[in-house]
Amino acid sequence: MLALVGLTFGVALGSAIVPLISIEMFVLGLCARWPDTSFWIVGLSVAVGQVLGKLLYFYAARGDIHLPKFLHRKPSDKPSRLRRWFGPGTRMHRWGDWIHVKCKAHPNWMAGTHGVSALVGVPPFMATSVLAGLAGMSTTMFVATGLVGRFARFSFLAASPALVMAWI
């Protein structure tokens, strides 16, 4: 049992860092293969792994972790189409500045969005983790909303194979 919890935590941590790994499929496969596994233990280990992995994105967005040099953009002489629409001096840039000022003034406004994202996955949890860091949300609020939402989501997901089998 302890090996399954450790494996689940490791896969959850990996899926939080590398978005190509599907933790949902892993949880469904795990609980379908071993139906006697406690759903709340699976939900807790996934929630802790996911939130710890997303803390890297959160801290990088806040500027607490500096990204390696190869991940930085290289300056270009020719402005791209995206820069023409969203670059300095455009209406979209001024709107983005206004949003940034409002988020800095009220950093915990992101708590509701981040909590809903942790629970249902819309907007994507990775995106709200980065936005929470950019908005200056407190680490305690980030961890609390992420853990509660992810625990509820993955506990329900872990219990779903047993629920379906009970109906059949």
Side-chain angles (χ1 to χ4, degrees):
M1 179 68 166
L2 190 58
L4 284 176
V5 171
L7 178 66
T8 303
F9 173 79
V11 172
L13 183 67
S15 74
I17 296 169
V18 180
L20 299 175
I21 301 170
S22 175
I23 188 63
E24 287 85 358
M25 292 309 229
F26 177 81
V27 168
L28 284 174
L30 174 84
C31 293
R33 172 67 177 94
W34 290 285
D36 58 334
T37 306
S38 176
F39 69 90
W40 66 271
I41 291 176
V42 171
L44 183 64
S45 62
V46 170
V48 170
Q50 286 268 298
V51 171
L52 281 178
K54 294 302 181 196
L55 272 172
L56 291 174
Y57 290 101
F58 176 75
Y59 285 138
R62 275 188 14 186
D64 296 340
I65 296 175
H66 298 288
L67 298 174
K69 189 121 181 135
F70 71 90
L71 289 177
H72 291 250
R73 290 185 180 169
K74 294 177 179 71
S76 158
D77 294 334
K78 181 183 172 190
S80 67
R81 285 186 183 183
L82 191 65
R83 193 157 188 71
R84 280 185 257 151
W85 279 91
F86 298 99
T90 63
R91 191 176 292 176
M92 292 301 287
H93 191 263
R94 288 190 301 271
W95 183 74
D97 286 343
W98 181 81
I99 294 291
H100 189 69
V101 167
K102 288 296 182 187
C103 286
K104 285 291 185 183
H106 306 284
N108 290 332
W109 281 0
M110 269 301 293
T113 306
H114 184 67
V116 168
S117 173
L119 181 64
V120 294
V122 175
F125 189 55
M126 180 181 285
T128 59
S129 298
V130 171
L131 288 174
L134 288 174
M137 179 190 272
S138 71
T139 305
T140 306
M141 181 70 74
F142 176 82
V143 170
T145 56
L147 276 178
V148 169
R150 290 274 121 170
F151 175 74
R153 175 186 176 99
F154 287 105
S155 294
F156 177 75
L157 192 65
S160 63
L163 290 172
V164 168
M165 292 309 292
W167 286 336
I168 295 176

